[in-house]
Amino acid sequence: MKLTILALDTSTEACSVACWRWGEVFAQKYAHLGHGHAEALVPMVASVMAESGLCYDQLDAIAVTIGPGTFTGLRVGLAAARGLALASSKPMIGVTTLEAIAHAAQFDERSVLAVLDARRGQLYAQAFDPMLMPIGPPSALPLQDIQSLRPAGPYVVAGTGAALARPHLLDSTTPEGDVMFDSGDGFPRAVVVARIASAREPLPLTTIRPLYLRAPDVTVPTIAKGGLADA
C-alpha cells in the first residue's frame, strides 16, 4: 500500500518523528529525552514536515505507537496524533511498541522476542515468528517468567528489557547460538512505526486506543485523622 504517513513515537524514554512516502523515508528526528516529550514533540513534528517538503493535506494518515510503554509518554503521543489527525482530517494507524521493536530487530529469518523494561521487576513482552506475526498477545510479566514466552527455534531478543531478560533466557539447557541479543539501544523508532503502518488500512481516530498492560504507577495518599497524612 503506497501511503504517505507522519509517524510519532513517545512510548518510552525516546521520542521520534518520521515522514514516510511510498516506501521512502523523507525525513526523521530522534532524541533520547528521558522526560519532556510534550515540549519536544511538536517542534520535532514541525521540523520533520518542513524537511520533508510536504504539507499536511498530502498525508494519508497519522501513525502512532499505542503501547505498551510509559503512561505519560503514551498520553503525549496519542494526544498529539489525534490532534494532528483531527486538524488535518486524516485517519490514524496504531502500531504497538513491541511490534516496532520486533520489526527493527528481525534478521536471519529468526523469531523475535521483544521485551520492554516495565520497572518493578517486570517486563512487557511479546514473541513474533520469523514472518513477524505475533505469537500470542503482549504481556506484562515478572522477569523470572520471561522463559514462558521463548519462541521455538533460534530467536533474537530486542528491546530495553533485553539485558534484564538475558540471565533468565540463558541457561545450561539453551543450545549455543539459539539466542541472540540485538545490539541496538532497544528503543522504538517512528520510522519503523511508519513502515509497519504503510501496510495497514487507516482507521477513524476514535478507534485508536492506548494499550495498557497494567495499572498506572500511582500512589494515593492515605487519609489520617484530621486530614491527609504526610507524603
Side-chain angles (χ1 to χ4, degrees):
M1 189 180 302
K2 292 184 177 181
L3 296 179
T4 302
I5 293 172
L6 177 67
L8 318 178
D9 172 66
T10 58
S11 59
T12 64
E13 296 171 16
C15 180
S16 59
V17 179
C19 188
W20 173 281
R21 191 177 201 191
W22 300 351
E24 181 183 354
V25 183
F26 269 37
Q28 61 176 313
K29 297 290 182 186
Y30 171 86
H32 182 267
L33 299 175
H35 55 83
H37 294 66
E39 295 79 10
L41 183 59
V42 172
M44 289 175 73
V45 169
S47 176
V48 164
M49 288 300 292
E51 186 178 334
S52 71
L54 298 173
C55 299
Y56 286 97
D57 61 5
Q58 293 177 278
L59 299 174
D60 292 309
I62 310 295
V64 64
T65 40
I66 60 172
T70 67
F71 288 89
T72 300
L74 290 175
R75 286 195 296 269
V76 168
L78 281 162
R82 283 172 177 157
L84 289 165
L86 186 62
S88 57
S89 299
K90 302 300 179 183
M92 291 177 62
I93 302 173
V95 174
T96 74
T97 314
L98 295 169
E99 284 180 304
I101 290 170
H103 278 249
Q106 197 267 351
F107 67 97
D108 195 26
E109 296 186 353
R110 287 174 175 253
S111 299
V112 181
L113 180 58
V115 286
L116 279 174
D117 181 3
R119 309 301 171 93
R120 300 191 302 183
Q122 290 187 314
L123 295 169
Y124 296 133
Q126 188 175 20
F128 297 82
D129 69 18
M131 299 300 292
L132 294 174
M133 298 299 293
I135 305 171
S139 305
L141 71 173
L143 284 170
Q144 61 270 22
D145 292 344
I146 190 60
Q147 287 192 359
S148 66
L149 296 185
R150 288 188 299 189
Y155 64 97
V156 181
V157 185
T160 62
L164 295 170
R166 188 183 189 106
H168 301 280
L169 294 171
L170 294 177
D171 56 37
S172 58
T173 64
T174 305
E176 186 176 354
D178 252 23
V179 188
M180 297 180 65
F181 289 83
D182 185 65
S183 59
D185 59 17
F187 292 108
R189 298 289 200 280
V191 66
V192 180
V193 174
R195 174 158 53 87
I196 297 169
S198 69
R200 296 182 177 174
E201 289 288 345
L203 299 170
L205 62 93
T206 54
T207 65
I208 304 299
R209 308 251 181 227
L211 174 62
Y212 295 136
L213 296 182
R214 71 180 189 199
D217 298 331
V218 175
T219 301
V220 179
T222 57
I223 303 296
K225 288 183 178 180
L228 292 176
D230 293 335

